[in-house]
Amino acid sequence: MTSSMVIQRYAQALFEESLTSTVILNDVQLIQRTIDESDDLSRLLESPVVPQHKKSAILERLFSKHIDTPTLRFLQLLIQRGRESLLTDILVCFQGLSDQAEGIVSVHARVHSKLSKDELIRLETVLSDKLKCRIRLQATVDASLMGGIILEIGDMVYDGSVRHQLSLLQSRLLTQT
């Protein structure tokens, strides 16, 4: 079984459990933030050298007072089955399933320089109006862009970068001569 199938199955199982327990979504977000903020925790989960019982004990100490029992059991199950290195991918997939169920569309925006809070709110509002749904916006800085914005909405990529616009202009000029 490919790892993407495994990720999907675990995420689906956690999602189905979340339908009966409203706190699992909050637990997942807390776990994801914790992993994102700690390179040491990421390395620990991905390390084949660290024994499973140590990983289990660390996660127990780290999360037992902050997450609900079913979510903690899920983490322990991943470790028992040797799937802890897939945890981040499983959490991302779970978030996607949760967003889909709530009618939320994830949008990833790549920009040349960091957007202010007002710019982020304005972009989110404009995208929400255009897509006619609620969105979850994630903006990242991509210094390789000369300017503009690249939006990734599901499988679609909308390239509004300066480089792409210049390339289109060059193509039009070359075809006219």
Side-chain angles (χ1 to χ4, degrees), residues 56-135:
S56 183
I58 290 169
L59 290 180
E60 176 84 27
R61 270 185 267 132
L62 200 60
F63 293 116
S64 64
K65 294 181 180 160
H66 306 288
I67 64 174
D68 206 34
T69 305
T71 313
L72 189 58
R73 277 197 321 259
F74 179 79
L75 293 176
Q76 300 298 350
L77 176 71
L78 286 178
I79 292 170
Q80 288 170 2
R81 295 198 176 161
R83 305 287 193 187
E84 64 275 8
S85 64
L86 302 175
L87 178 59
T88 300
D89 294 328
I90 291 168
L91 297 177
V92 168
C93 186
F94 169 87
Q95 187 67 55
L97 292 170
S98 179
D99 286 351
Q100 184 179 7
E102 292 183 31
I104 298 173
V105 174
S106 290
V107 177
H108 180 233
R110 292 185 345 211
V111 294
H112 173 69
S113 56
K114 186 173 178 165
L115 298 176
S116 69
K117 189 163 184 99
D118 289 339
E119 291 170 324
L120 284 170
I121 291 170
R122 186 166 164 247
L123 178 59
E124 191 170 337
T125 303
V126 167
L127 289 171
S128 183
D129 290 345
K130 292 283 184 194
L131 298 173
K132 295 182 180 13
C133 63
R134 294 182 2 211
I135 66 162

Side-chain angles (χ1 to χ4, degrees), residues 138-150:
Q138 176 193 10
T140 55
V141 174
D142 183 349
S144 70
L145 295 176
M146 294 172 15
I149 188 169
I150 297 175

Side-chain angles (χ1 to χ4, degrees), residues 23-84:
V23 297
I24 290 179
L25 178 60
N26 294 334
D27 292 349
V28 166
Q29 291 170 344
L30 173 69
I31 295 165
Q32 187 65 55
R33 271 194 317 273
T34 305
I35 292 171
D36 288 346
E37 294 170 0
S38 173
D39 291 336
D40 291 338
L41 182 57
S42 292
R43 282 193 298 276
L44 171 90
L45 291 170
E46 293 174 8
S47 174
V49 178
V50 179
Q52 289 179 339
H53 70 276
K54 284 193 177 187
K55 290 178 182 181
S56 183
I58 290 169
L59 290 180
E60 176 84 27
R61 270 185 267 132
L62 200 60
F63 293 116
S64 64
K65 294 181 180 160
H66 306 288
I67 64 174
D68 206 34
T69 305
T71 313
L72 189 58
R73 277 197 321 259
F74 179 79
L75 293 176
Q76 300 298 350
L77 176 71
L78 286 178
I79 292 170
Q80 288 170 2
R81 295 198 176 161
R83 305 287 193 187
E84 64 275 8

